[in-house]
Amino acid sequence: MNKTVICPGSFDPVTLGHLDIITRASKMFGKVIVAVLVNSGKNPTFSTEERMELLREATAGLDNVEITSFKGLLAEYCKSSGVDTIVKGLRAVSDFEYEFQMALANKKLNPQLETIFLTADADSTFLSSSMVREIGSMGGDISNFVPAPVHDRIVKKLRKQ
Ligand code: ADP
């Protein structure tokens, strides 16, 4: 489908779960914009630039994927960039309530906006950035959780924490 979609998130840092959703979306749509949320309230472990750089390296083989960042409301960002479809990954029942609320709120803010959910890959339903940060910072093996090309950079940063 020749359509541009947005995959938003914190990506602090990118995991194999994120990469699975981005890769599948890139096969289904003409262009995928991966939009890193600049969390002004939260204190991310990886800076916006680092998160974008890790995503760029992890998606280097996907020609129709573009990495960018945004501040503020996703609904506004979509409107200003002329994109009307959000693609998100849905891991478990625990994600559902929050994601359902967000999708409805975004539609109220921007009625053109549709949210599409892809079911998480069975192997990564348990995976989250916070789990990677926790295991990595304690010296655990995260090689099955993050994309191979960015593994070493993520480990180095987390061990410094
Ligand atoms: P988290 O910090 O929870 O890992 P993000 O805010 O960076 O997640 O998530 C961005 C998007 O990626 C969300 O749509 C989220 O549901 C999805 N996602 C996160 N982890 C996974 C995973 N393991 N499998 C599939 N989708 C995921």
Side-chain angles (χ1 to χ4, degrees):
M1 208 190 298
N2 192 19
K3 188 174 195 40
T4 299
V5 300
I6 286 190
C7 286
S10 303
F11 305 103
D12 187 30
V14 59
T15 68
L16 284 176
H18 295 135
L19 187 59
D20 174 57
I21 298 296
I22 296 167
T23 305
R24 284 157 62 200
S26 79
K27 289 180 186 150
M28 296 168 73
F29 300 102
K31 184 173 169 188
V32 178
I33 299 176
V34 179
V36 176
L37 175 64
V38 180
N39 347 32
S40 47
K42 286 191 197 169
N43 197 5
T45 301
F46 294 80
S47 70
T48 307
E49 262 317 310
E50 283 172 326
R51 288 181 275 154
M52 289 174 70
E53 193 47 43
L54 293 171
L55 276 161
R56 267 189 216 108
E57 269 189 65
T59 60
L62 304 169
D63 290 345
N64 59 342
V65 173
E66 184 185 300
I67 313 299
T68 185
S69 65
F70 74 104
K71 273 188 192 143
L73 289 175
L74 177 62
E76 287 303 320
Y77 176 71
C78 289
K79 206 183 277 177
S80 65
S81 43
V83 177
D84 62 10
T85 308
I86 298 170
V87 173
K88 300 216 79 184
L90 207 53
R91 278 167 290 195
V93 186
S94 51
D95 271 351
F96 181 80
E97 200 175 341
Y98 175 75
E99 294 292 353
F100 195 70
Q101 276 177 2
M102 283 300 293
L104 291 178
N106 280 331
K107 203 157 179 61
K108 276 272 178 247
L109 294 168
N110 175 354
Q112 311 301 322
L113 208 49
E114 294 293 348
T115 304
I116 295 175
F117 294 104
L118 298 181
T119 47
D121 177 65
D123 289 337
S124 55
T125 42
F126 65 94
L127 203 49
S128 68
S129 295
S130 58
M131 202 186 79
V132 165
R133 291 197 301 272
E134 207 165 314
I135 296 175
S137 63
M138 291 189 283
D141 179 7
I142 55 166
S143 56
N144 288 322
F145 305 153
V146 299
V150 292
H151 171 267
D152 292 357
R153 283 182 60 180
I154 294 176
V155 167
K156 204 168 155 192
K157 171 97 184 187
L158 291 176
R159 292 210 176 154
K160 275 197 212 148
Q161 293 294 303

